Amino acid sequence: MASRGEFSSRTAFILAASGSAIGLGNIWGFPIKVASNGGGAFVFTYIILTFLLAYPILMAELVIGRHAKADTVKSMAKISSDKTRWLGMSTGYWGMLTASLILSFYAIIAGWMVAHALGSLLSVAGVSESWFVSDSLARSAVFCVIFFVLTISVVANGVSSGIEKWSTRLMPILILIIVLLIIYIATLPGAAEGWKVYLQPDFSKVTDPSLVLDALSQAFFSLSLGVGTMMVYGSYISKSENLPRLGAAVAAMDIGIAVLAGMLVIPAIYVAQHNGVVIYDDAGNLIESTGLIFNVLPALFNTMGAAGGIVSILFFVLMSIAALTSSISMLEVPVAYATDSHDVPRAKAAWLVGIAILVFSILLVLNMSWLFGKVVNFATEFSEPLIGILFCFFVGWVWRRDQLLGELQEGNPQMQETLFWKIWPNYVRFVCPAIVLALLIRSSGLLNF
Ligand code: TRP
């Protein structure tokens, strides 16, 4: 077997895994869900649910991965019993397929972000940017290819000189850009209104089941759960690390950036409204999310005069970076399988698998109107939660408890006395699967919340 990579330090893992978690889901999805779900009430529910539901499942993935030190298929086989091996391996394969499907649509949206970043740059330089910022088949296809080439190039270089190197470079830049933009937007007229909406929770909404379930699925998607990404990243963690602490750091980073992104996007929407940009449709609802990012915000940047160009570049570079550190973690799932289970050299695996998924992306671009939404729903509303339940099932019911404890004791010899060990095993056994099942039932439309 080709030698496996390992993250060179704790920080490297935290930045890479946070890079996976922090993506379009945080900077685009989260603020928009906040804006359409009662402001601060959603933020509050989301934070609680991330710790109560998503963090325990993140831990399940990390601990399986670090125990097996292998791709998702081998890892799941390793913790299975003889009778459940087929199910474990199928879960691993299915995770891989889901990661690939998510990458196929994610890369298209990410491509638009890169196109807008380049378009803003050209417009500041005085060159016409209209091809880059208006929707067309050609633009989607070209930038999807560009985004794939970026993603594949990073993954082809391996864990420490690819994924780790780029995550540790890009994540600090991402945080810096968010903070700069928050400060700038906060000084503009209209921003105060947005801050009010964001920070004043309407607690009467906290008990609204559809808000709770929206927050749940957001928490799940945002931590990149249910495809095996965190399992594979977990397999590159050294045995001397204390896993529950690392997982908590990743969850905290993910929440932190989502909350920061809200401080940027929500005030920005209200500044746009103040400047005369329409943000509500005729029915009084907030404009749908693609419109907000690709029309409302650019319209806002246009009203900002000279600063607008720079702000626009920064904003779309931010989006592109967030997307790239996530997309590499998606591609890593099938690539790890090719290298671990089939001994394909890493670079070759990255290009072969990457190009295969790219071909599917182009199919999506060509069939956007009917296929895109279906793939998004199948992968995120159905597959991710179901695989999440299976991971919990394996950790809670199948994996031998002494081996699970043994794995957690690596890097934390006192594990047995910790609060984590007293609560978590039964929690992933009963509570997590039950709640995620509720999520699934809702998205399958059986219950009408
Ligand atoms: N967490 C990422 C984001 O917020 C997106 C994501 C969802 C993801 N599922 C994933 C990333 C699986 C990697 C693997 O944008």
Side-chain angles (χ1 to χ4, degrees):
M1 190 182 89
S3 82
R4 300 190 88 243
E6 189 164 277
F7 289 116
S8 64
S9 68
R10 182 179 311 167
T11 319
F13 164 75
I14 293 175
L15 288 176
S18 311
S20 166
I22 296 164
L24 300 175
N26 299 60
I27 302 176
W28 175 2
F30 178 77
I32 285 169
K33 286 194 179 161
V34 172
S36 47
N37 264 312
F42 185 84
V43 182
F44 176 81
T45 317
Y46 168 78
I47 293 178
I48 305 242
L49 290 179
T50 298
F51 272 102
L52 287 188
L53 181 87
Y55 170 70
I57 300 181
L58 170 67
M59 287 312 304
E61 289 203 30
L62 291 181
V63 73
I64 298 174
R66 204 210 22 200
H67 177 69
K69 291 243 161 225
D71 62 66
T72 52
V73 177
K74 275 191 174 169
S75 297
M76 290 303 292
K78 185 157 181 187
I79 64 158
S80 301
S81 59
D82 287 341
K83 279 203 190 114
T84 53
R85 186 152 297 121
W86 66 274
L87 183 61
M89 293 178 73
S90 313
T91 308
Y93 282 116
W94 188 10
M96 235 160 66
L97 177 75
T98 307
S100 310
L101 284 180
I102 296 179
L103 177 56
S104 73
F105 70 78
Y106 205 82
I108 299 173
I109 303 173
W112 297 338
M113 301 295 174
V114 178
H116 272 263
L118 266 181
S120 320
L121 199 66
L122 289 176
S123 121
V124 168
V127 182
S128 162
E129 82 283 18
S130 64
W131 185 78
F132 293 83
V133 298
S134 29
D135 195 19
S136 72
L137 255 176
R139 182 198 67 158
S140 294
V142 167
F143 280 93
C144 181
V145 172
I146 292 176
F147 191 78
F148 262 98
V149 171
L150 288 174
T151 304
I152 296 170
S153 312
V154 174
V155 173
N157 277 312
V159 179
S160 53
S161 43
I163 296 174
E164 168 178 328
K165 185 161 122 194
W166 284 98
S167 302
T168 47
R169 280 181 184 171
L170 294 175
M171 292 311 287
I173 302 179
L174 175 136
I175 294 171
L176 182 72
I177 298 182
I178 291 200
V179 173
L180 283 178
L181 288 176
I182 291 175
I183 296 174
Y184 179 68
I185 298 282
T187 63
L188 302 177
E193 182 72 19
W195 279 89
K196 230 190 267 159
V197 170
Y198 191 46
L199 295 178
Q200 278 181 354
D202 174 359
F203 278 113
S204 65
K205 296 222 169 141
V206 169
T207 49
D208 176 354
S210 89
L211 178 145
V212 175
L213 289 168
D214 256 3
L216 262 178
S217 62
Q218 175 67 22
F220 214 84
F221 183 81
S222 191
L223 267 181
S224 309
L225 301 178
V227 302
T229 275
M230 290 301 180
M231 193 180 292
V232 174
Y233 274 19
S235 77
Y236 303 135
I237 301 177
S238 139
K239 292 276 185 193
S240 59
E241 297 292 349
N242 179 358
L243 281 184
R245 270 218 346 239
L246 289 191
V250 173
M253 286 282 284
D254 186 44
I255 291 177
I257 299 293
V259 170
L260 281 179
M263 297 178 184
L264 165 62
V265 175
I266 295 181
I269 294 173
Y270 283 86
V271 174
Q273 186 182 37
H274 180 269
N275 292 3
V277 179
V278 179
I279 65 168
Y280 291 102
D281 63 17
D282 296 339
N285 298 318
L286 198 66
I287 284 183
E288 51 77 39
S289 60
T290 328
L292 268 179
I293 296 293
F294 296 114
N295 301 327
V296 171
L297 293 184
L300 164 68
F301 303 146
N302 277 336
T303 63
M304 289 174 162
I310 309 288
V311 173
S312 179
I313 297 173
L314 284 178
F315 180 78
F316 286 109
V317 166
L318 166 76
M319 287 290 206
S320 308
I321 292 178
L324 183 62
T325 52
S326 297
S327 66
I328 55 182
S329 75
M330 298 172 201
L331 182 59
E332 181 60 19
V333 181
V335 168
Y337 170 73
T339 56
D340 281 351
S341 287
H342 295 284
D343 282 334
V344 182
R346 171 168 279 272
K348 191 171 162 194
W351 283 98
L352 280 180
V353 176
I355 289 173
I357 302 174
L358 168 62
V359 169
F360 187 74
S361 285
I362 298 294
L363 266 174
L364 279 185
V365 169
L366 295 175
N367 295 285
M368 202 75 174
S369 57
W370 69 275
L371 193 56
F372 191 85
K374 287 195 176 64
V375 172
V376 174
N377 284 345
F378 174 75
T380 63
E381 310 255 307
F382 176 70
S383 285
E384 281 198 301
L386 206 55
I387 297 170
I389 294 180
L390 285 164
F391 288 157
C392 292
F393 170 73
F394 273 87
V395 168
W397 297 87
V398 178
W399 195 359
R400 281 181 32 205
R401 198 53 77 87
D402 56 332
Q403 285 188 0
L404 172 60
L405 177 62
E407 183 54 42
L408 284 164
Q409 278 168 333
E410 305 261 5
N412 186 354
Q414 266 82 49
M415 178 47 74
Q416 216 165 354
E417 279 84 59
T418 60
L419 191 63
F420 181 83
W421 181 253
K422 295 200 170 92
I423 297 176
W424 178 76
N426 279 327
Y427 201 85
V428 281
R429 219 172 166 180
F430 300 106
V431 183
C432 291
I435 304 181
V436 179
L437 198 63
L439 230 180
L440 251 180
I441 292 175
R442 177 193 70 154
S443 49
S444 71
L446 287 179
L447 284 181
N448 246 339
F449 285 119

